[in-house]
Amino acid sequence: MYEHDVIVVGAGGAGLRAAIAAHEAGADVAMVTKLHPVRSHTGAAEGGINAALREGDDWELHAYDTMKGSDYLGDAPAIETLAKDAPEDTITLEHWGMPFSREDDGTVSQRPFGGLSFPRTTYAGAETGHHLLHVLYEQVVKRGIQVYDEWFVMNLAVSDEPDPNDRTCHGVVAYDVQSGKIDGFKARNGVIIATGGPGQAFDHTTNAVSCTGDGQAIAYRAGVPLEDMEFVQFHPTTLPSTGVLISEGVRGEGGILYNEKGERFMFEHGYANNDGELASRDVVSRAELTEVNEGRGVEDEYVHLDMRHLGAERILDRLENILHLAEDFEGVDGLVEPMPVKPGQHYEMGGIETDENGKTCIDGLYAAGECACVSVHGANRLGGNALPELVVFGKRAGYHAAGKDLGEAEIETGYTSDVEEETDVDLPVTPGEAGLDPNPEAVATDGSGQALDAEDALERAVETERARTERLIEKDDGVKHADIRAKLQEAMTQNVNVFREEQGLKKALKAIRECRELYQDVYVQDPSRTFNTDLQMTYETRNLIDVAETITLGALVRNEFRGAHWRLENQERDDENWLKHTLISWNAGKPSIWYRPVILEGEDKTYEPKVRSY
Amino acid sequence: MSTQEQQPEPETEPETEPETQESPADPEMSGLASPQQRRLQRKAANLAERERQAAEDESNLEEDTVHLKVFRFDPEVEDKQEPRFDDFHVPFERGMTVLDALIYARDEYDSSLTFRHSCRQAICGSDAFFVNGSQHLGCKTQISELEQPVRVEPLPHQEVVKDLVVDMEHFYEQMHAVEPYMQQEDLPEGELEEMRQSRENREKIKMSTRCIWCAACMSSCNIAAGDNQYLGPAAINKAYRFAMDEREDEEIKEHRLRIIEQEHGVWRCQTQFSCTEVCPKDIPLTEHIQELKREAVKKNLKFW
């Protein structure tokens, strides 16, 4: 058993920043990550960090753009916190040595990005995330923060009160990938989940193979609601054959989208008469797919992104990485020909419900970064707003977990009996745990309703995972996780994509149910305890199933068109009925759906929902 | 998985065309000394040759399968304790990379086949392997450019944990040994005031900041193979990244030079360019090591 004040799960941008903050606040902090920190998917972020740094810009403008971009589903206290903290936190990165692109006077450069009223995206070439990740890891090395790398967190150790709001998180159970050892990590103060998104629920995604929604799934099963999961961002410019991301920076610098007929369709077909290619991501993704669906796509599959007119010098200066990606992964030279692009899953706006200090409804459990939903991004995240979210809310969660006073949060968390519940949804199958077994997945609960003390909770969680692992490895025959994962990805990509309709969503729920049933027969073929990725991926696949189900349930109940979520049956934003967050609680295997109103009241003003046009 | 995603695309352009113009137009290369240019020319020439070869092979490949010979070892599984090669025949798809082929082999044939991988786009640095006798990132290496059978082995000179997974601990220790973090304590006054850095200086360190810690360079280096304490190309490049960054004061630079001129530092390098050859990010590692040698000499002269 290991013991620290604060345990950070995941070592991408949010996790590293949280660990640094907790350390600064005097805590004994350790990171537990299934990868080595520098392998984390923050490194693939390209575009930049939005922060109001310059004359003519201010945090209120950043907050306004973000609220509008969110299609009025972001919570004002979260958005305003992001916009206010981002400048200082960005400059802190500079002080830590981040190699930002520079102006002639030596100050950091900023560029225009979609949905922004001011060019406030601070960047380091088209590889901002890589530099951010490495700079943060350097600071972790400098501080001597303990990193348990290649330890896969299997579950949380949480006490077992019936009401999740009364529960306490005491630590995590993790699996040392190199040795196969399963052990407990006790957290005296708190556990911070920073495990990134669930992109692998889809098969055409910019996300890494490691992005399997682990943190969301374990928090969900421990009783924390997942919020607004139906809002999945499909990035408009990914390479068709691999899903590799082509940064929005290309359009920010002036790149143009053309259909097969050579029409600049964003303008010529009226998708965004003012902002064109720099409209918000959801708008551009739908435009591209509409072009393809109406027969104007290249090869009936994609459109062209052309940056040749920017000139080699500017491209090499600001977008060089894009040339390499297009060459290596699509065989296209961006200097001499347009690049083929199509929408691909990119970002999960929803996630673990937290307040603006990163806290969940379970005492001692925090979340930050893509896995969390504060909510800053609402129905659609603006380009350049993910990286500031990592540093701003990673830092806050780290401080808070270490005991620093950040003031009372304005955002409420956790289910209470006075919330609006969804009672009228027609589900084709029962969601949730298949064949509810006597070993509940989530909490170390024995149903007695008695609070377990920290040691007992941890010990029991460790025993549960050891037994499960043993079962999986000892089982000689059955279904492979890879087959289940492939089935899940196909169902999600077919039915829970950019354009959604009721029948398709129901089909997806049925397929997810089938995946759950297949999973009851899953087995791990590799008998080894050494670096058993077969075992790890089997755990990950289970996490993906739970998270994919929440995405689909949310998409089915939300019968309106808002931000990234489009519904055939109701192609209008419905503010009268839907200015509210969708929350899904696991309830020990019997999910329920409920709602909480969006907070549009900011510090000094109320954001009035307006028609979102670009 | 990404392998299943690839749709048969009738035609765009021969996929082997891409990388030839890798650098001539690249201004960032033009400023560099000639060995780097020569190296890149050689790289381009080799590539052109491989492409001709590949174009010939490709028509056969299209309907064909890829023959992989993959190194297998597991210290605790009886029939894998003795290292061996397993053969996998994977259906070829246009654009297939070594990583795609490995993923297919694992998901379809043998779930115990073990290798690190994550981002699939050459930024996480997890999947450096020894492919047909040299270090490559699996995700960035097209099957169509390789001779068959494609032999995939773990990185040489590192202890094998299992199959293609090597122990990276030593590599990380060397990276940490150069104090890889900004040490400037004296920050500009005033709220939101950044340190200034000229465009030229940012350009100067740019290539060095692209390192993804894949350890291909370290694995290719004969010196590192013989001297386990040698810092190695990646760590020295990391030191370069800070030593050349004008945001750090001169005393810090001198401190950094003292670290890299120690017994197992820059002077061990015999400029064989193997690290530079295999770097998937085209970092001119040997150049950087040479430049640090010059800087170290200059510093020592100053104190005479």
Side-chain angles (χ1 to χ4, degrees):
Chain A
M1 174 96 70
Y2 301 85
E3 190 172 332
H4 296 276
D5 293 339
V6 176
I7 302 280
V8 180
V9 183
L16 292 165
R17 189 64 187 85
I20 294 165
H23 185 267
E24 277 177 351
D28 158 27
V29 56
M31 313 194 70
V32 185
T33 166
K34 68 179 180 179
L35 305 169
H36 182 278
V38 301
R39 316 291 171 212
S40 307
H41 200 54
T42 297
E46 293 169 8
I49 308 174
N50 292 340
L53 294 174
R54 299 288 176 241
E55 188 88 33
D57 197 8
D58 60 46
W59 73 262
E60 280 109 332
L61 285 172
H62 184 186
Y64 177 82
D65 291 344
T66 303
M67 181 59 93
K68 178 182 170 193
S70 82
D71 222 351
Y72 302 92
L73 201 71
D75 285 324
I79 288 176
E80 294 189 346
T81 301
L82 176 91
K84 279 188 214 166
D85 285 9
E88 186 188 326
D89 290 347
T90 304
I91 294 302
T92 299
L93 294 169
E94 198 285 325
H95 290 170
W96 287 342
M98 180 134 167
F100 284 114
S101 295
R102 299 282 168 165
E103 295 302 304
D104 285 335
D105 67 355
T107 56
V108 298
S109 296
Q110 296 194 302
R111 66 179 160 211
F113 243 48
L116 301 186
S117 57
F118 189 92
R120 71 170 71 87
T121 307
T122 325
Y123 64 98
E127 49 203 27
T128 313
H130 165 76
H131 295 304
L132 173 70
L133 180 69
H134 282 257
V135 161
L136 290 175
Y137 180 61
E138 288 162 14
Q139 292 299 310
V140 162
V141 172
K142 180 180 179 187
R143 289 163 172 75
I145 293 170
Q146 169 102 45
V147 179
Y148 299 91
D149 64 319
E150 296 186 330
W151 276 81
F152 175 72
V153 170
M154 301 171 132
N155 216 338
L156 299 167
V158 174
S159 65
D160 71 342
E161 293 82 354
D163 181 349
N165 297 332
D166 297 333
R167 292 177 189 160
T168 307
C169 180
H170 296 296
V172 305
V173 187
Y175 159 75
D176 178 7
V177 182
Q178 291 228 12
S179 74
K181 183 170 83 165
I182 294 171
D183 215 336
F185 288 76
K186 184 177 164 187
R188 287 182 288 258
N189 291 22
V191 170
I192 302 172
I193 297 178
T195 52
Q200 286 293 319
F202 295 81
D203 63 10
H204 188 84
T205 175
T206 62
N207 284 196
V209 176
S210 318
C211 297
T212 50
D214 304 323
Q216 294 176 336
I218 57 178
Y220 175 52
R221 293 195 299 261
V224 183
L226 296 185
E227 177 175 351
D228 292 336
M229 292 298 285
E230 64 270 31
F231 295 102
V232 178
Q233 180 163 86
F234 294 87
H235 196 289
T237 56
T238 73
L239 296 176
S241 60
T242 53
V244 164
L245 175 67
I246 296 300
S247 170
E248 184 164 317
V250 175
R251 283 170 291 135
E253 298 291 348
I256 296 175
L257 290 165
Y258 294 106
N259 64 17
E260 192 201 20
K261 296 160 115 177
E263 295 166 323
R264 190 175 181 180
F265 56 88
M266 289 307 298
F267 290 104
E268 290 184 46
H269 291 270
Y271 299 105
N273 289 323
N274 295 318
D275 292 1
E277 284 80 6
L278 275 183
S280 185
R281 288 179 178 176
D282 56 312
V283 175
V284 181
S285 281
R286 278 190 298 272
E288 290 176 4
L289 276 194
T290 303
E291 290 298 299
V292 172
N293 292 343
E294 291 178 0
R296 296 187 296 274
V298 186
E299 312 266 0
D300 278 330
E301 193 199 352
Y302 53 84
V303 297
H304 276 141
L305 174 60
D306 197 344
M307 61 176 181
R308 291 173 294 181
H309 57 285
L310 303 179
E313 193 182 337
R314 182 149 164 211
I315 293 171
L316 284 162
D317 182 39
R318 302 183 183 187
L319 299 165
E320 187 194 332
N321 184 42
I322 299 306
L323 291 177
H324 298 310
L325 292 173
E327 271 176 21
D328 293 341
F329 300 103
E330 202 67 43
V332 167
D333 180 358
L335 288 178
V336 300
E337 57 197 320
M339 300 175 284
V341 293
K342 72 173 197 181
Q345 193 282 345
H346 182 56
Y347 188 88
E348 171 62 60
M349 267 76 72
I352 302 165
E353 186 205 37
T354 72
D355 65 24
E356 60 273 39
N357 298 329
K359 224 179 145 319
T360 72
C361 65
I362 292 183
D363 206 31
L365 185 61
Y366 296 78
E370 185 176 346
C371 69
C373 183
V374 191
S375 134
V376 167
H377 311 303
N380 174 64
R381 175 173 71 76
L382 291 183
N385 261 355
L387 298 184
E389 181 192 21
L390 302 184
V391 290
V392 167
F393 292 102
K395 182 192 71 177
R396 294 177 75 87
Y399 278 153
H400 200 277
K404 187 165 172 169
D405 184 11
L406 298 178
E408 197 66 27
E410 285 176 56
I411 295 171
E412 251 188 296
T413 57
Y415 171 89
T416 48
S417 55
D418 57 349
V419 299
E420 179 195 351
E421 309 220 25
E422 176 60 68
T423 50
D424 189 28
V425 55
D426 172 27
L427 297 174
V429 285
T430 311
E433 190 70 85
L436 271 179
D437 63 83
N439 276 321
E441 290 291 327
V443 190
T445 174
D446 61 359
S448 67
Q450 287 194 347
L452 294 170
D453 72 22
E455 264 75 22
D456 288 347
L458 257 168
E459 210 162 289
R460 193 178 303 198
V462 169
E463 283 317 313
T464 305
E465 297 314 320
R466 283 188 183 146
R468 189 195 319 277
T469 300
E470 213 57 39
R471 263 200 323 273
L472 288 168
I473 292 183
E474 291 302 315
K475 193 165 159 22
D476 287 331
D477 205 2
V479 185
K480 291 193 295 182
H481 72 79
D483 295 339
I484 303 174
R485 195 182 285 202
K487 181 182 169 76
L488 181 75
Q489 290 175 334
E490 194 192 321
M492 294 299 287
T493 303
Q494 281 283 324
N495 301 304
V496 198
N497 215 307
V498 176
F499 294 113
R500 297 163 170 182
E501 45 128 346
E502 185 179 342
Q503 288 316 314
L505 294 168
K506 287 183 170 173
K507 261 193 231 166
L509 281 175
K510 282 188 206 157
I512 291 167
R513 189 73 205 164
E514 286 160 24
C515 289
R516 287 195 183 282
E517 280 156 14
L518 286 171
Y519 195 88
Q520 290 194 290
D521 192 29
V522 79
Y523 83 119
V524 173
Q525 189 190 327
D526 189 347
S528 182
R529 308 288 150 158
T530 304
F531 227 100
N532 192 331
T533 51
D534 193 8
L535 175 69
Q536 182 183 330
M537 292 181 83
T538 301
Y539 265 80
E540 291 170 344
T541 298
R542 168 61 204 264
N543 292 338
L544 282 172
I545 295 173
D546 287 341
V547 173
E549 188 174 74
T550 63
I551 295 171
T552 313
L553 284 172
L556 181 63
V557 293
R558 187 176 286 273
N559 186 22
E560 68 157 344
F561 164 30
R562 182 182 300 272
H565 174 68
W566 183 95
R567 275 291 295 271
L568 175 74
E569 294 81 10
N570 187 6
Q571 301 178 29
E572 301 272 325
R573 189 174 84 192
D574 178 359
D575 287 342
E576 196 151 323
N577 295 304
W578 286 102
L579 271 177
K580 61 189 181 189
H581 300 292
T582 316
L583 291 117
I584 305 186
S585 295
W586 174 245
N587 297 327
K590 298 184 189 115
S592 66
I593 303 167
W594 49 282
Y595 303 103
R596 195 195 300 282
V598 178
I599 306 173
L600 295 176
E601 294 78 36
E603 192 178 273
D604 306 316
K605 66 168 174 194
T606 295
Y607 298 83
E608 289 298 333
K610 295 189 184 131
V611 176
R612 198 167 64 107
S613 64
Y614 286 99
Chain B
M1 296 279 103
S2 54
T3 41
Q4 283 141 354
E5 163 66 10
Q6 294 163 3
Q7 292 95 352
E9 274 173 51
E11 235 325 53
T12 34
E13 59 276 293
E15 80 199 274
T16 44
E17 206 225 321
E19 293 178 56
T20 28
Q21 31 53 263
E22 178 153 301
S23 55
D26 190 338
E28 135 179 302
M29 297 298 171
S30 60
L32 295 170
S34 56
Q36 170 72 355
Q37 283 172 336
R38 282 204 303 277
R39 184 192 68 79
L40 283 165
Q41 279 160 8
R42 203 159 60 238
K43 245 187 179 176
N46 290 344
L47 195 67
E49 175 51 35
R50 280 210 304 281
E51 276 164 17
R52 266 194 299 283
Q53 192 78 40
E56 283 170 26
D57 294 349
E58 188 157 14
S59 49
N60 314 330
L61 257 178
E62 285 290 357
E63 310 95 82
D64 216 9
T65 55
V66 182
H67 182 186
L68 291 178
K69 281 181 104 60
V70 184
F71 179 92
R72 306 301 301 275
F73 166 75
D74 189 318
E76 55 166 309
V77 173
E78 206 173 325
D79 65 337
K80 282 175 76 183
Q81 283 166 350
E82 198 60 43
R84 62 163 201 252
F85 280 87
D86 278 357
D87 295 274
F88 295 101
H89 297 272
V90 172
F92 177 76
E93 288 188 67
R94 233 181 132 266
M96 183 175 242
T97 62
V98 170
L99 178 64
D100 292 333
L102 286 170
I103 290 175
Y104 190 95
R106 180 195 64 199
D107 288 352
E108 300 297 325
Y109 306 138
D110 182 353
S111 312
S112 72
L113 178 59
T114 305
F115 46 91
R116 289 193 182 98
H117 65 300
S118 185
C119 73
R120 310 162 295 138
Q121 57 185 80
I123 196 69
C124 77
S126 306
D127 66 339
F129 306 127
F130 199 54
V131 181
N132 283 357
S134 64
Q135 287 79 1
H136 292 277
L137 284 187
C139 62
K140 206 185 162 211
T141 306
Q142 293 286 322
I143 289 283
S144 61
E145 290 175 12
L146 297 168
E147 261 181 57
Q148 296 214 36
V150 177
R151 277 169 77 92
V152 190
E153 298 169 72
L155 288 182
H157 304 140
Q158 272 150 297
E159 199 178 325
V160 179
V161 175
K162 174 178 173 180
D163 293 349
L164 301 177
V165 175
V166 294
D167 188 349
M168 295 285 288
E169 238 9 82
H170 178 61
F171 176 81
Y172 295 141
E173 278 165 18
Q174 301 303 70
M175 295 301 283
H176 296 168
V178 298
E179 303 183 7
Y181 37 81
M182 178 66 74
Q183 298 188 23
Q184 184 65 19
E185 302 290 339
D186 198 10
L187 297 170
E189 307 259 319
E191 208 187 343
L192 297 185
E193 198 54 49
E194 65 255 59
M195 293 187 278
R196 302 297 171 98
Q197 182 181 28
S198 68
R199 280 170 180 263
E200 294 70 30
N201 187 249
R202 199 251 167 192
E203 200 63 23
K204 170 107 188 143
I205 62 163
K206 182 168 88 177
M207 292 307 281
S208 65
T209 61
R210 291 202 173 147
C211 176
I212 56 173
W213 297 41
C214 71
C217 56
M218 184 82 135
S219 165
S220 78
C221 174
N222 281 331
I223 315 303
D227 173 9
N228 204 39
Q229 285 171 275
Y230 175 44
L231 287 171
I236 297 174
N237 175 71
K238 190 76 172 173
Y240 176 97
R241 175 253 169 281
F242 288 106
M244 296 300 167
D245 192 320
E246 67 187 9
R247 288 175 291 174
E248 277 189 348
D249 288 342
E250 200 58 30
E251 313 86 79
I252 305 171
K253 178 173 178 178
E254 283 164 15
H255 170 65
R256 294 194 179 281
L257 291 173
R258 278 192 291 277
I259 295 173
I260 53 91
E261 67 175 345
Q262 43 118 336
E263 189 186 348
H264 301 281
V266 286
W267 298 106
R268 289 277 156 155
C269 171
Q270 296 175 4
T271 54
Q272 295 173 348
F273 284 89
S274 65
C275 54
T276 309
E277 292 279 349
V278 300
C279 177
K281 289 295 177 186
D282 287 329
I283 303 171
L285 293 160
T286 314
E287 296 292 311
H288 288 170
I289 299 171
Q290 292 301 97
E291 200 174 337
L292 284 178
K293 287 180 185 172
R294 290 195 291 274
E295 291 293 312
V297 170
K298 272 197 277 183
K299 169 184 73 84
N300 292 336
L301 284 175
K302 204 170 82 181
F303 287 109
W304 261 22

